Amino acid sequence: MNDKRNRKSGRRPKKCRFRGNQHIKKDMKSKAEANPNKSASFKKLSVNESSQLPTNDSERFRFIDISIFKDFEKSLCCSTCFGTINIIETANYGFSSSFKIACQSCNIEKTWRNSKMVGIKKNVPTINRRAVFAMRMIGKGAKSLQKFSSYMALPAPVSQKSYDKINDKIPRATTVVANSCMKKAAEEELLTGSSDIMVSGDGTWKTRGHSSLVGVCTVIGAESEKVIDIDVMSSYRSFKKNCIQTNQNPVISNGSRIMLSDGDASTFKDVCEDKPYGINTTIEKVECVGHVQKRMGTRLRKLKKRHEKEKIADGKTIGGRGRLTDELIKKLTTYYGNAIRKNKNNLFSMRKDIWAIWMHFVSTDADPQHHFCPTGENSWCKYNQAKFKNSLEMFKHKSSFPRAVMDMIKPIFKALSNLTLLKRCLGGKTQNTNESLNSLIWHFCSKNTIIIIKENCTNSLQFGMYKL
């Protein structure tokens, strides 16, 4: 470390920046193959390079200053008479320009464009469509494209009318691709087991709060983790159940009988009442572990707020130092979620580990209650570690909390360790894929920016959906 006396005034040594463990990066792919329970982030980091889209630098776009053409004119000559040539821009439409190369001596002229032409009549410049597509991808409109062009000293982009025409083609093109991809994903989901597949359904709203009239519902296969159905609706109560019953992908209309969702009981109830698979088929609900874990923190915070000014059994308030603090709530919530995930295939072990949390925090030197905590040298319970090493006489409880506080939160543990609830948590399923997809949709269609579209407000949502 540099001595401060040797440094000049106002200068500080540069801080070392963490750039990741290089040894871990090298064997990331091998670990991904060896670890069957890898996380979503781990999967993204270990994507096979062959699955990436091919890139060809010769087919990409470039910015170029047309004043450079003057230098070209000095270095080039006519191929017929070797005379001097001129490069002139004859016209431009949006970002598409036409250029003419003319010889001053023999008057030979050749024309060319800076972009390929597409469409039925080959009269639409690719670069203009690409510009509109780029604005839609970042959730912006024609006005933002005009500002970008102005700041970059580019030609004026396409007009609002042309922008709308191009924008209308995007949902139609992406819809065809999306339907094909979702049908393929549904068929792939069926290959993972029987026709009774499990799906994860979740909804998200165009605006924050409960006043939005436009919603998006996504259905993702629990095994393949790929989108197999999606819908945009403006009905407040029925848009989720409509997505489950949609016939957009007939492959899944006869099989999905297990629904992975959050705590939205009204949606599940509506789907069950409508009986989309016939009166003899029941739909089971599987809970998202992440949402169930959040219930612990939510209920503890509500309990603390409801009794924050009251005196409990020991004559003190429920909050305060060494009592039900935000730090303790965070710990209990994390430990509760870990207990579910650790025992995702064993219902009674799951319940036992949940109660081990409560009993561990209520234990004291006079009344240790660690019989539900794991035993052995590697146990997370320090008491049982000391017991294994025959050193209990030296052990002192440091993390005990008042019995009055623990008795206040005991009903919450009782409710969240109910076997009916925990049974729906078996398998350790989550809706992380749905939440990630919702984030991606609103990345395309920002909730903070209103985009005016010619047909209706759902076009922007459809585009955001179909480009997944």
Side-chain angles (χ1 to χ4, degrees):
M1 191 172 188
N2 296 332
D3 191 346
K4 293 182 178 180
R5 293 173 296 180
N6 297 331
R7 296 201 310 262
K8 294 184 179 180
S9 176
R11 295 187 179 180
R12 295 182 179 179
K14 292 184 178 180
K15 294 183 178 179
C16 296
R17 299 180 63 184
F18 179 72
R19 303 181 183 277
N21 192 322
Q22 302 301 320
H23 300 286
I24 294 179
K25 292 181 180 179
K26 291 180 180 179
D27 59 352
M28 181 73 73
K29 184 176 179 180
S30 60
K31 286 188 176 181
E33 297 174 352
N35 184 10
N37 298 321
K38 46 190 176 292
S39 64
S41 300
F42 201 96
K43 292 177 182 178
K44 293 177 183 178
L45 292 173
S46 57
V47 172
N48 191 344
E49 293 181 358
S50 62
S51 66
Q52 301 298 321
L53 295 176
T55 57
N56 187 349
D57 289 340
S58 63
E59 296 181 358
R60 293 182 175 182
F61 292 93
R62 300 288 189 274
F63 286 115
I64 187 170
D65 189 345
I66 60 175
S67 64
I68 298 177
F69 289 162
K70 296 298 181 181
D71 298 331
F72 291 168
E73 294 174 352
K74 298 176 183 179
S75 304
L76 302 176
C77 63
C78 178
S79 60
T80 302
C81 66
F82 302 101
T84 305
I85 65 170
N86 293 326
I87 304 176
I88 306 169
E89 182 183 21
T90 57
N92 71 283
Y93 172 61
F95 294 153
S96 175
S97 298
S98 298
F99 296 91
K100 179 177 68 175
I101 302 178
C103 176
Q104 295 180 359
S105 301
C106 59
N107 296 325
I108 294 178
E109 296 181 353
K110 291 185 178 181
T111 60
W112 56 281
R113 304 183 69 94
N114 69 331
S115 174
K116 293 181 180 179
M117 307 299 285
V118 294
I120 299 177
K121 299 180 179 179
K122 299 294 182 181
N123 60 345
V124 181
T126 303
I127 193 170
N128 288 339
R129 284 192 174 182
R130 177 68 63 174
V132 176
F133 178 75
M135 289 296 106
R136 292 297 297 112
M137 288 291 287
I138 62 176
K140 301 297 181 181
K143 296 299 182 182
S144 298
L145 182 59
Q146 292 175 6
K147 290 181 180 180
F148 173 78
S149 305
S150 176
Y151 297 150
M152 292 295 297
L154 294 170
V158 294
S159 63
Q160 182 69 54
K161 183 177 180 180
S162 299
Y163 184 96
D164 292 338
K165 286 183 178 179
I166 297 174
N167 197 35
D168 291 343
K169 295 181 181 296
I170 294 176
R172 295 199 292 269
T174 53
T175 298
V176 175
V177 177
N179 288 339
S180 175
C181 292
M182 289 189 291
K183 184 175 181 180
K184 184 178 179 181
E187 293 172 348
E188 182 179 338
E189 185 73 18
L190 289 176
L191 293 177
T192 60
S194 66
S195 60
D196 295 341
I197 64 175
M198 180 187 298
V199 297
S200 173
D202 192 30
T204 180
W205 303 105
K206 175 65 179 72
T207 56
R208 293 172 175 82
H210 298 278
S211 59
S212 178
L213 298 179
V214 178
V216 184
C217 179
T218 58
V219 176
I220 298 177
E223 298 298 330
S224 65
E225 297 184 348
K226 294 183 179 180
V227 181
I228 59 178
D229 207 356
I230 199 164
D231 200 7
V232 179
M233 295 188 67
S234 58
S235 175
Y236 181 80
R237 290 192 175 273
S238 62
F239 84 102
K240 276 189 179 181
K241 67 176 182 179
N242 187 77
C243 188
I244 298 294
Q245 301 174 54
T246 183
N247 290 322
Q248 180 177 342
N249 293 312
V251 176
I252 69 169
S253 62
N254 296 322
S256 175
R257 294 176 175 85
I258 304 176
M259 178 180 174
L260 171 62
S261 64
D262 52 22
D264 193 342
S266 60
T267 301
F268 178 72
K269 180 181 177 182
D270 291 341
V271 174
C272 292
E273 290 176 352
D274 288 349
K275 297 188 179 301
Y277 306 114
I279 58 175
N280 297 324
T281 303
T282 59
I283 300 177
E284 300 178 12
K285 182 181 179 182
V286 177
E287 295 284 354
C288 168
V289 176
H291 285 85
V292 173
Q293 176 181 337
K294 288 171 60 178
R295 296 182 192 179
M296 175 64 76
T298 301
R299 296 190 184 188
L300 289 175
R301 281 188 289 270
K302 287 183 177 179
L303 177 70
K304 180 182 177 181
K305 185 176 181 180
R306 185 166 60 248
H307 300 283
E308 61 181 349
K309 296 182 180 180
E310 300 177 8
K311 298 296 179 71
I312 59 177
D314 60 356
K316 299 180 181 179
T317 58
I318 191 172
R321 185 175 181 180
R323 302 175 76 81
L324 187 60
T325 60
D326 292 338
E327 183 180 357
L328 177 60
I329 292 175
K330 185 177 179 180
K331 282 184 179 181
L332 294 175
T333 303
T334 303
Y335 296 160
Y336 174 73
N338 292 343
I340 296 176
R341 294 182 178 89
K342 180 182 176 182
N343 303 280
K344 61 182 181 181
N345 298 320
N346 192 318
L347 179 63
F348 294 100
S349 295
M350 186 186 300
R351 189 182 190 188
K352 174 184 174 182
D353 282 5
I354 292 174
W355 277 108
I357 301 169
W358 186 89
M359 299 179 74
H360 179 86
F361 278 91
V362 79
S363 297
T364 61
D365 293 334
D367 184 22
Q369 300 186 36
H370 299 282
H371 44 276
F372 280 175
C373 297
T375 58
E377 184 179 5
N378 297 323
S379 173
W380 53 261
C381 176
K382 301 297 183 181
Y383 179 89
N384 283 343
Q385 284 187 17
K387 185 177 181 180
F388 179 82
K389 299 176 182 179
N390 296 321
S391 58
L392 282 178
E393 65 279 358
M394 303 293 294
F395 182 82
K396 299 294 182 182
H397 285 82
K398 298 180 181 179
S399 58
S400 299
F401 288 85
R403 183 61 184 251
V405 174
M406 299 306 295
D407 285 342
M408 289 287 291
I409 68 177
K410 189 174 183 178
I412 297 177
F413 270 81
K414 184 176 181 179
L416 295 182
S417 62
N418 183 278
L419 289 178
T420 303
L421 171 63
L422 298 183
K423 185 178 180 180
R424 296 199 296 263
C425 296
L426 289 175
K429 301 297 183 180
T430 69
Q431 287 187 292
N432 291 345
T433 50
N434 292 88
E435 301 297 342
S436 178
L437 181 59
N438 293 343
S439 176
L440 185 63
I441 290 174
W442 301 124
H443 173 73
F444 293 148
C445 311
S446 174
K447 292 186 176 184
N448 299 324
T449 305
I450 300 177
I451 304 174
I452 300 176
I453 298 180
K454 183 178 179 181
E455 294 183 0
N456 52 52
C457 63
T458 60
N459 262 352
S460 61
L461 291 171
Q462 290 173 351
F463 172 72
M465 294 185 314
Y466 293 133
K467 280 305 295 180
L468 299 174

